[in-house]
Amino acid sequence: MASNVSYAIQQYFGLPLIHEPSTSPYCEYPRSSISQRHIDARLLSVFPGKSSIPVGCLFSLRVWLRAGGVDHRVFADDELWVGKDLDFYSIAHASMMILRSVDSKSQLYHGYIGRALVTFSCRWHRVNDNLYKYSIDYDANGVGGNLIEDFRLRIDGDPRTVTFLIYSVPINSVPAGSSHRIRIWAKSLVSQSAAEHSTLPFQDSYIFQRIYKNDMFKLGGQLDFENMSNKATMGFVAGPVQTITTTANSPPQQPASTARNTYPDEKAHKGYH
């Protein structure tokens, strides 16, 4: 466990999660109710959680403060996703996005999701000192949206050294190939001293921390709507395209699938959280 996760308590009682060489704020204590002069110790407890995909990356975290012999639990989380050198390529049916370009303020990733070519744009700007604000958007043939709007990292060094692992996993859906799980992990190189360096060439180690999940990502290329169901009523465009401004409404429920399942249902795949 020590090789996977390291923690640091800041003086302002924030708990940042360290993944070298970057740091993301993980939780903050209720500062207004804590007097620093009364605190004797800060206690952290991390233990393995449920089964996970990939294996060995899900943990539970507890944070306690001890003041005057009395222990106070101030934070708990059963969804701490972090690990070292995780085996993402063992995930069945996973489609990995590939890093295509890097410049001074952005990274572009390309890959196929449901036979559709999708571009993920990761952008950042410096807030102050070594603190950076990240956003991640996606685009598929001119249509897209925002996935992460304000994710902050403290980076010692060049922000271009922190990359992202993005992948999708298809889910049984109607029409076929239209529903996917999306996962985004921050990836940073583990700094090693000469004595700790591996004897094998080109074998770097990386720390991964999951920063985003979406179990209802609806997108696909060349979807077969005509053969979706013999009870479905299809609508067609009549006349020129017009722009209509509407208010946001709840999305309609998806019809139940009558076809044989090729991929796991939304909650049927053990280990997905």
Side-chain angles (χ1 to χ4, degrees), residues 238-254:
V241 177
Q242 299 180 1
T243 300
I244 301 175
T245 303
T246 61
T247 57
N249 295 319
S250 300
Q253 293 184 352
Q254 298 295 325

Side-chain angles (χ1 to χ4, degrees), residues 26-215:
Y26 195 66
C27 76
E28 291 191 5
Y29 305 152
R31 306 179 193 180
S32 60
S33 62
I34 298 176
S35 176
Q36 186 172 3
R37 66 178 181 273
H38 295 153
I39 296 176
D40 301 325
R42 305 171 183 89
L43 309 177
L44 301 178
S45 175
V46 182
F47 47 91
K50 304 174 184 177
S51 60
S52 63
I53 298 176
V55 176
C57 62
L58 177 59
F59 302 91
S60 295
L61 170 68
R62 303 292 183 268
V63 182
W64 296 74
L65 290 182
R66 177 169 297 168
V70 178
D71 296 320
H72 305 263
R73 197 181 83 172
V74 296
F75 183 78
D77 187 9
D78 293 321
E79 295 284 327
L80 172 58
W81 294 83
V82 64
K84 179 181 178 183
D85 298 330
L86 300 176
D87 186 10
F88 291 98
Y89 291 96
S90 66
I91 301 174
H93 308 296
S95 176
M96 300 291 175
M97 306 301 112
I98 300 174
L99 178 61
R100 289 299 187 185
S101 65
V102 180
D103 60 28
S104 61
K105 292 186 177 181
S106 67
Q107 299 170 355
L108 291 181
Y109 297 80
H110 291 178
Y112 284 90
I113 300 179
R115 294 187 295 181
L117 179 61
V118 183
T119 299
F120 291 85
S121 303
C122 305
R123 298 180 176 88
W124 62 85
H125 72 265
R126 188 175 182 180
V127 178
N128 56 57
D129 296 331
N130 61 347
L131 180 62
Y132 293 83
K133 177 181 177 180
Y134 281 78
S135 65
I136 299 180
D137 303 296
Y138 77 93
D139 178 273
N141 200 25
V143 180
N146 176 259
L147 299 179
I148 298 177
E149 184 176 0
D150 187 357
F151 178 72
R152 302 199 175 199
L153 284 175
R154 292 184 181 89
I155 302 174
D156 296 327
D158 191 338
R160 291 174 295 182
T161 61
V162 178
T163 58
F164 298 91
L165 188 143
I166 306 172
Y167 70 89
S168 68
V169 176
I171 306 171
N172 184 70
S173 58
V174 177
S178 63
S179 296
H180 313 269
R181 291 187 176 95
I182 299 293
R183 300 292 187 266
I184 301 179
W185 295 69
K187 174 184 177 182
S188 55
L189 182 66
V190 177
S191 58
Q192 296 177 328
S193 65
E196 296 173 335
H197 194 71
S198 173
T199 57
L200 297 178
F202 313 113
Q203 187 171 348
D204 294 325
S205 288
Y206 293 90
I207 296 294
F208 296 88
Q209 181 188 354
R210 196 178 80 178
I211 62 174
Y212 178 83
K213 62 170 287 189
N214 186 340
D215 289 332

